[in-house]
């Protein structure tokens, strides 16, 4: 649930303002903030006391260890003296047992001084062997490692080191005595010497012991005095600080209470003036406080409602409405009751509230509990009126999904509903009666806008919209998806029934007329009807096909219905395929997926070879390379490029790449050299006034010999764009370029047009050449075109020369050149080698 902080003030049982109830917690918090220095000093003193005890324990460990060390060395000297006199092996063993104690302590000290705390495990074992108390060993190691550089502990360790040399000498002396006794009995003089040495070492060890005890006592007394001084100082500081902070705390607390009383008074005044309803209740929901806005909302004063249960005095709905059905926003009464019982609502929940005039309002409810360690004692409710805001949101949501002119849903909402239907059909295993979509386009609507104005056009759209709604069944979806375009989604509708509805709409549209001044305006309608069936699976595919079906209806004379069933009709599928090729062509131009191939044009006689320049005579052809590496023939994508106006871009790409490659080959000294390179120009490019300037610019840019260039134009394109074609041919021939008339004989040949087009080569259409051996008429046409070309001073080229028999026949007929698989297959033209174009 949302929480409101701070809560609104109320009136407690003692009559004090609610702000007074906050003074206790505020004082506690202020007190805690004020006494933190004392807590810090107490922590310091505690740490110091623990450290003091630890240090004193360590000093006690030194004292205890020294007594064990002293006793051990004394036992060792006495036992060694007895052994020197008597040679008793038991005395010698007692010597080692006694000496082991101080030697173990010495070895532990040396390891700690050398390796520090890392030697703790080994040092602990040695100190245990030195008869030190196990619980004191850690303290002894800690003091030795971390305080060995201090003056006191440093002196203590120095006095301990004074015993290292006598102990080592005592051990060496014992070894000498043992060796002598093993060889022969000692003389009295030897015994006397040994006893004198033992006595001397005993004196040295006793002096080291006394010096160690003196330093140990001095250090303990100094440390004790130092610790007492620090503890007393901290205690005095704490008392002084406590007195000063107590006095300041009292003054600060008094000022805080005064300020809190002032804030409480201001808060009460503010709550009384704000526009949101603020109500305070106890834990059971009985009213304790209301501001003026709450009194106006409920139509009752605080005096009337105080101690009364809030939900019992809020206005109930005057009548049962649709809003009271399951799923709609709950009433505020319900929310308050359930919240007091522990149920929580999301922060953005909208509730319904009926004011004193029984007008419905939409509100957000903020709830803040007030309580102590025993639980919730009071609750603060804030009712924020969001009726106008929600109205704006609903209006914006409607505008986002509807057309303001007609009130129909718009394209975005229609696409969403269509997507839901397609997804449901794909997931459902149950058979369906069928679904269909209609795409409707008004005929000659632009004429109405241009002649009568857009206001008249809007009136016509509203009239058409009303007519369409009358013609549809319950459950059908109608949308305005464009300026004069509508779409209809027919659900659970057989395709035959959908066709009947489409015809009904078309007939009804003919009767829609609006009177505009003295004119009676009408508009027909073209309908594209599409059955929603495989392979149409996405919204994009369906709308594209529906748009094409509508276009097909217009092409059939307008005011018609074009019904498309994906399983039967293939015409739209062809349009879809072409549109896919359009996207592929655009992508190929942008990403460089086109490539060039070249096919040899072979001379069939010596004269023709000389005219071609004596080198390679080739025709450049375009291919498309797919991402998987496959090469696509132009037969698959050129028709789509021609239909949708992409050929100028394709032609310009071919020209640029061809000239770039030719320039490279001419500079690299290609052998044999390319003496004639034919490049195709489409009819659309011929109609472009800027083509000539582009070709001249590219020839100059790449510095290609114009005499090696031959531009191929088709007969049909030349006739269609004859003025431009003549101008282009003459201008480029002036530079030295040559021209070829491609596919001559494929269309309605205009022999007279050849007089106006001074082309150099006449290419006979391959469809005629391919069947000339089997079709006498085709052979006669080839022969006639050949004679015509020669008569006009042109050289002839026969396409589709696929077999050696055709080539020989062409040679015998006097054809100048042949092009086809029997002469040479197309080869990549990026960096061709000489053997790439066999003749």
């Amino acid at each position: 649930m949302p929480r409101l902080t701070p809560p609104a003030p109320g009136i407690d049982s003692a009559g004090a303002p609610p702000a007074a109830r906050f003074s206790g917690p505020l004082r506690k918090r202020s007190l805690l903030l004020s006494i933190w220095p004392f807590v810090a000093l107490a922590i310091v003193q505690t740490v110091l006391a623990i450290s003091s005890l630890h240090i004193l324990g360590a000093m006690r460990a030194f004292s205890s260890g020294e007594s064990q060390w002293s006793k051990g060395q004394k036992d060792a000297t006495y036992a060694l003296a007895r052994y020197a006199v008597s040679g008793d092996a038991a005395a010698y063993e007692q010597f080692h047992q006694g000496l082991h104690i101080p030697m173990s302590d010495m070895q532990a000290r040396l390891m700690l001084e050398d390796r520090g705390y890392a030697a703790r495990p080994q040092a602990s074992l040695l100190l245990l062997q030195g008869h030190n108390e196990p619980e004191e060993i850690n303290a002894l190691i800690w003091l030795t490692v971390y305080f060995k550089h201090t003056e006191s502990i440093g002196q203590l360790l120095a006095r301990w080191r004074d015993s290292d040399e006598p102990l080592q000498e005592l051990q060496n002396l014992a070894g000498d005595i043992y060796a002598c006794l093993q060889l022969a009995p000692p003389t009295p003089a030897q015994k006397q010497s040994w006893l004198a040495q033992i006595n001397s070492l005993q004196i040295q060890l006793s002096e080291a012991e006394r010096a160690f005890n003196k330093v140990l006592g001095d250090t303990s007394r100094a440390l004790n005095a130092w610790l007492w001084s620090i503890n007393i100082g901290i205690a005095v500081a704490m008392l002084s600080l406590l007195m000063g902070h107590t006095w300041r705390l009292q003054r600060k607390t008094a000022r805080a209470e005064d300020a809190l009383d002032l804030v409480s008074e201001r808060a009460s005044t503010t709550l009384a003036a704000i526009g949101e309803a603020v109500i305070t209740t106890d834990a059971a929901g009985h009213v304790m406080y209301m501001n003026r806005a709450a009194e106006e909302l409920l139509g009752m004063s605080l005096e009337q409602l105080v101690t009364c249960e809030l939900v019992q005095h809020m206005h109930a709905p005057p009548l049962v409405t649709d809003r009271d059905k399951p799923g709609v926003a709950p009433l505020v009464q319900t929310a308050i009751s359930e919240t007091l019982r522990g149920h929580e609502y999301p922060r953005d929940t909208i509730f319904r509230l009926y004011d004193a005039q029984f007008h419905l309002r939409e509100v957000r409810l903020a709830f803040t509990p007030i309580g102590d360690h025993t639980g919730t004692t009071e609750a603060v409710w804030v009712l924020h009126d969001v009726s106008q805001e929600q109205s704006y949101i609903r209006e914006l949501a409607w505008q986002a999904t509807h057309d303001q002119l007609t009130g129909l849903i718009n394209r975005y909402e229609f696409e969403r509903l269509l997507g839901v239907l397609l997804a449901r059909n794909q997931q459902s295993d149950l058979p369906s009666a069928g679904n269909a979509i209609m795409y409707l386009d008004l005929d000659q609507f632009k004429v109405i806008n241009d002649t009568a104005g857009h206001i008249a056009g809007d009136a016509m759209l509203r009239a058409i919209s009303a007519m369409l709604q009358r013609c549809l069944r319950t459950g059908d979806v109608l949308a305005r998806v464009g300026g004069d375009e509508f779409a209809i989604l027919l659900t659970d509708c057989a395709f035959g029934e959908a066709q009947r509805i489409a015809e009904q709409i078309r007939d009804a549209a003919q009767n829609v007329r609006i009177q505009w001044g003295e004119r009676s305006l009408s508009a027909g309608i073209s309908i594209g009807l599409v059955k929603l069936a495989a392979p149409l699976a996405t919204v994009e595919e369906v709308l594209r096909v529906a748009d094409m079906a509508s276009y097909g209806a217009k092409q059939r004379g307008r005011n018609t219905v074009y019904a498309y069933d994906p399983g039967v009709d293939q015409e739209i599928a062809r349009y879809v395929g072409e549109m896919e090729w359009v996207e592929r062509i655009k992508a190929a131009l942008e990403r460089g997926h086109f490539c060039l191939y070249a096919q040899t044009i072979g001379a069939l006689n010596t004269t023709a070879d000389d005219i071609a320049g004596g080198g390679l005579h080739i025709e450049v052809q375009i291919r498309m390379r797919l991402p998987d590496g496959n090469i696509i023939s132009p037969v698959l994508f050129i028709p789509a490029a021609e239909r949708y106006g992409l050929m100028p871009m394709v032609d310009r790409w071919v020209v640029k790449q061809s000239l770039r490659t030719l320039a490279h080959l001419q500079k690299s000294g290609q052998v044999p050299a390319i003496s004639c390179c034919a490049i195709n120009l489409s009819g659309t490019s011929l109609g472009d006034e800027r083509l000539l300037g582009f070709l001249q610019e590219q020839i100059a840019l790449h510095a290609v010999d114009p005499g090696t260039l031959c531009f191929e134009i088709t007969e049909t394109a030349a006739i269609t764009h004859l003025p431009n074609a003549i101008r282009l041919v003459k201008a480029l021939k002036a530079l030295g370029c040559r021209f070829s008339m491609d596919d001559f004989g494929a269309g309605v040949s205009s022999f007279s047009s050849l007089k106006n087009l001074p082309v150099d080569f006449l290419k006979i259409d391959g469809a005629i050449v391919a069947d000339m051996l089997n079709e006498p008429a085709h052979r006669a046409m080839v022969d006639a075109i050949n004679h015509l070309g020669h008569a006009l001073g042109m050289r002839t080229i026969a396409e589709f020369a696929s077999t050696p028999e055709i080539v020989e026949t062409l040679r015998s007929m006097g054809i100048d050149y042949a092009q086809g698989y029997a002469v040479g297959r197309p080869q990549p033209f990026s960096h061709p080698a000489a053997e790439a174009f066999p003749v």
Side-chain angles (χ1 to χ4, degrees):
M1 273 296 295
R3 295 289 183 261
L4 177 66
T5 54
I11 301 176
D12 59 17
S13 57
R21 293 195 299 271
F22 293 95
S23 59
L26 288 176
R27 289 195 189 100
K28 293 178 181 179
R29 183 180 179 186
S30 177
L31 180 62
L32 290 176
L33 292 175
S34 300
I35 66 172
W36 70 264
F38 306 103
V39 176
L41 284 175
I43 293 174
V44 170
Q45 189 172 27
T46 301
V47 172
L48 182 62
I50 294 173
S51 300
S52 300
L53 293 174
H54 202 55
I55 293 173
L56 291 175
M59 297 300 296
R60 184 173 61 253
F62 265 105
S63 178
S64 176
E66 185 276 333
S67 65
Q68 294 296 328
W69 164 71
S70 177
K71 180 179 180 300
Q73 65 90 12
K74 288 178 181 179
D75 291 344
T77 55
Y78 294 151
L80 182 59
R82 290 196 307 272
Y83 178 65
V85 173
S86 64
D88 186 4
Y92 188 69
E93 179 64 28
Q94 290 175 1
F95 163 74
H96 279 293
Q97 291 177 358
L99 187 63
H100 183 67
I101 295 173
M103 290 298 290
S104 297
D105 290 343
M106 181 184 72
Q107 293 175 7
R109 189 198 76 241
L110 292 174
M111 294 177 67
L112 292 173
E113 289 178 342
D114 181 41
R115 296 164 51 195
Y117 208 71
R120 178 181 173 278
Q122 297 89 339
S124 297
L125 292 176
L126 290 172
L127 291 173
L128 280 174
Q129 294 174 9
H131 292 188
N132 290 278
E133 294 297 331
E135 61 273 11
E136 295 178 349
I137 288 177
N138 286 333
L140 185 60
I141 293 174
W142 173 75
L143 193 63
T144 300
V145 171
Y146 294 109
F147 293 88
K148 62 184 178 182
H149 298 298
T150 62
E151 180 179 0
S152 299
I153 304 303
Q155 291 181 3
L156 194 63
L157 294 176
R159 301 291 74 77
W160 189 356
R161 292 190 204 97
D162 291 342
S163 65
D164 291 354
E165 184 176 353
L167 284 174
Q168 191 65 44
E169 292 180 2
L170 185 64
Q171 188 178 32
N172 294 336
L173 178 60
D176 293 341
I177 295 173
Y178 177 77
C180 290
L181 290 177
Q182 296 300 315
L183 295 176
T187 63
Q190 285 180 315
K191 292 182 180 180
Q192 190 62 35
S193 174
W194 289 343
L195 291 175
Q197 294 181 53
I198 293 172
N199 185 51
S200 174
L201 292 174
Q202 173 63 31
I203 293 173
Q204 295 180 39
L205 291 172
S206 297
E207 290 176 353
E209 175 188 349
R210 286 193 296 273
F212 182 85
N213 285 331
K214 182 178 183 306
V215 173
L216 180 62
D218 293 343
T219 301
S220 297
R221 286 189 294 272
L223 183 62
N224 190 42
W226 180 73
L227 293 175
W228 268 105
S229 299
I230 291 180
N231 281 278
I232 292 173
I234 291 178
V236 171
M238 185 178 294
L239 288 174
S240 301
L241 193 62
L242 178 62
M243 294 176 63
H245 270 268
T246 301
W247 179 75
R248 284 193 295 270
L249 180 62
Q250 289 177 345
R251 294 191 60 187
K252 185 177 181 180
T253 301
R255 288 195 300 268
E257 290 178 350
D258 295 340
L260 188 60
D261 291 340
L262 179 60
V263 169
S264 177
E265 182 179 353
R266 290 175 177 174
S268 299
T269 304
T270 302
L271 288 173
I274 65 175
E276 294 181 345
V278 180
I279 305 173
T280 302
T281 69
D282 61 15
H286 298 96
V287 176
M288 301 174 63
Y289 170 82
M290 292 193 310
N291 66 350
R292 185 177 297 111
E295 292 178 340
E296 294 175 355
L297 182 69
L298 301 181
M300 301 179 70
S301 65
L302 175 61
E303 290 73 13
Q304 293 174 299
L305 289 182
V306 68
T307 71
C308 296
E309 189 173 357
L310 175 62
V311 297
Q312 298 298 328
H313 293 80
M314 301 182 81
H315 302 290
L319 294 173
V320 177
T321 65
D322 291 340
R323 292 179 176 267
D324 298 305
K325 294 180 180 178
V328 300
L331 290 169
V332 169
Q333 294 96 314
T334 304
I336 292 176
S337 300
E338 292 184 353
T339 301
L340 290 174
R341 290 196 296 268
H343 177 76
E344 291 191 358
Y345 287 91
R347 179 179 296 273
D348 56 351
T349 303
I350 304 298
F351 301 97
R352 290 175 296 141
L353 174 68
Y354 290 89
D355 60 15
Q357 290 74 37
F358 290 94
H359 294 152
L360 177 64
R361 296 193 187 184
E362 293 177 296
V363 298
R364 281 196 178 94
L365 181 64
F367 160 71
T368 301
I370 302 174
D372 52 24
H373 65 280
T374 62
T376 300
T377 58
E378 297 179 11
V380 178
W381 311 90
V382 179
L383 285 72
H384 175 56
D385 191 348
V386 294
S387 303
Q388 189 173 15
E389 174 186 334
Q390 291 300 306
S391 176
Y392 289 153
I393 291 174
R394 283 191 291 269
E395 182 178 352
L396 289 175
W398 187 90
Q399 291 177 357
T401 57
H402 288 75
D403 171 51
Q404 293 187 1
L405 177 64
T406 61
L408 304 177
I409 63 173
N410 58 20
R411 184 184 190 92
Y412 303 105
E413 180 66 8
F414 182 81
E415 290 181 358
R416 186 188 70 81
L417 295 175
L418 176 58
V420 171
L421 176 63
L422 293 175
R424 185 171 66 243
N425 290 343
Q426 292 174 0
Q427 297 172 0
S428 177
D429 297 330
L430 299 176
S432 173
N435 303 294
I437 181 175
M438 271 193 276
Y439 216 80
L440 305 91
D441 195 348
L442 299 186
D443 297 330
Q444 305 300 332
F445 180 72
K446 187 175 184 300
V447 175
I448 296 177
N449 275 336
D450 292 344
T451 59
H454 289 281
I455 298 178
D458 292 346
M460 176 59 72
L461 290 173
R462 284 192 291 267
I464 292 292
S465 171
M467 177 274 295
L468 292 174
Q469 294 180 76
R470 290 193 299 269
C471 293
L472 296 181
R473 307 167 305 158
T474 302
D476 292 338
V477 178
L478 171 63
R480 183 187 177 198
V481 296
D484 61 341
E485 298 173 348
F486 296 85
I488 300 173
L489 186 59
L490 303 171
T491 57
D492 297 326
C493 181
F495 198 54
E497 176 63 13
Q499 290 177 291
R500 185 194 65 77
I501 296 174
E503 289 293 344
Q504 178 183 346
I505 291 174
R506 187 188 63 80
D507 290 339
Q510 296 178 354
N511 298 323
V512 175
R513 294 182 177 274
I514 61 171
Q515 196 67 31
W516 197 256
E518 298 180 355
R519 300 175 56 187
S520 178
L521 304 178
S522 63
I525 195 167
S526 296
I527 302 175
L529 175 65
V530 177
K531 182 179 181 180
L532 296 183
L536 302 179
T538 66
V539 173
E540 291 77 11
E541 291 174 347
V542 170
L543 292 180
R544 182 171 57 181
V545 170
D547 186 44
M548 290 181 178
S550 174
Y551 179 72
K554 285 187 175 293
Q555 284 189 323
R556 282 165 173 73
R558 303 180 185 273
N559 195 31
T560 59
V561 176
Y562 183 97
Y564 171 64
D565 185 343
V568 178
D569 193 351
Q570 296 300 317
E571 183 173 354
I572 296 296
R574 180 175 63 83
Y575 284 131
V576 172
E578 287 185 347
M579 290 303 297
E580 291 176 351
W581 277 115
V582 167
E583 295 303 321
R584 290 185 181 181
I585 292 169
K586 291 180 179 178
L589 288 169
E590 293 173 359
R591 303 170 187 172
H593 290 171
F594 280 129
C595 59
L596 294 181
Y597 273 59
Q599 188 176 24
T600 298
I601 300 175
L604 300 181
N605 54 69
T606 306
T607 304
D609 190 33
D610 294 339
I611 293 175
L616 288 176
H617 187 182
I618 62 171
E619 178 189 357
V620 175
Q621 301 169 355
I622 189 171
R623 300 286 191 273
M624 181 186 292
R625 183 184 295 109
L626 296 181
D628 60 5
N630 290 329
I631 302 298
I632 299 300
S633 169
V635 176
L636 297 176
F637 59 84
I638 289 298
E642 290 176 340
R643 178 186 293 270
Y644 295 99
L646 299 179
M647 279 310 298
M649 290 189 291
V650 174
D651 285 346
R652 289 170 184 260
W653 185 90
V654 172
V655 169
K656 287 181 181 180
Q657 296 300 320
S658 299
L659 296 185
R660 182 179 293 117
T661 304
L662 278 175
H664 170 77
L665 295 176
Q666 290 175 359
K667 291 178 181 178
S668 62
Q670 169 74 20
V671 179
I674 298 175
S675 58
C676 187
C677 178
I679 303 174
N680 289 277
L681 296 176
S682 67
T684 311
S685 294
L686 282 181
D688 185 357
E689 297 286 347
R690 297 167 296 178
L691 177 62
L692 176 59
F694 169 76
L695 294 175
Q696 292 171 335
E697 175 189 349
Q698 291 298 313
I699 293 172
L701 176 65
H702 294 93
V704 174
D705 181 8
T708 61
L709 300 179
C710 178
F711 294 101
E712 291 192 3
I713 56 178
T714 64
E715 173 195 1
T716 304
I719 295 174
T720 304
H721 306 282
L722 190 58
N724 278 352
I726 294 174
R727 182 173 63 89
L728 180 72
V729 171
K730 290 182 177 180
L732 292 180
K733 283 183 72 68
L735 292 177
C737 300
R738 288 178 280 187
F739 277 83
S740 176
M741 178 74 75
D742 196 12
D743 295 338
F744 193 82
V748 181
S749 300
S750 176
F751 295 101
S752 62
S753 64
L754 292 177
K755 297 179 181 179
N756 299 318
L757 285 172
V759 298
D760 302 277
F761 301 99
L762 192 62
K763 296 188 75 170
I764 305 171
D765 183 59
I768 304 174
V769 176
D771 292 337
M772 62 179 291
L773 298 182
N774 301 320
E775 292 287 342
H778 286 186
R779 180 167 181 167
M781 291 178 63
V782 171
D783 190 50
I785 294 173
N786 181 49
H787 283 88
L788 174 64
H790 288 167
L792 294 175
M794 304 173 187
R795 295 298 171 179
T796 55
I797 303 173
E799 299 179 302
F800 286 19
S802 57
T803 65
E805 291 79 10
I806 294 178
V807 173
E808 290 305 318
T809 302
L810 294 171
R811 194 190 307 272
S812 65
M813 295 174 64
I815 303 295
D816 298 300
Y817 302 93
Q819 181 179 358
Y821 283 178
V823 178
R825 290 178 175 270
Q827 302 291 335
F829 187 54
S830 55
H831 297 290
E835 62 270 20
F837 307 106
V839 179

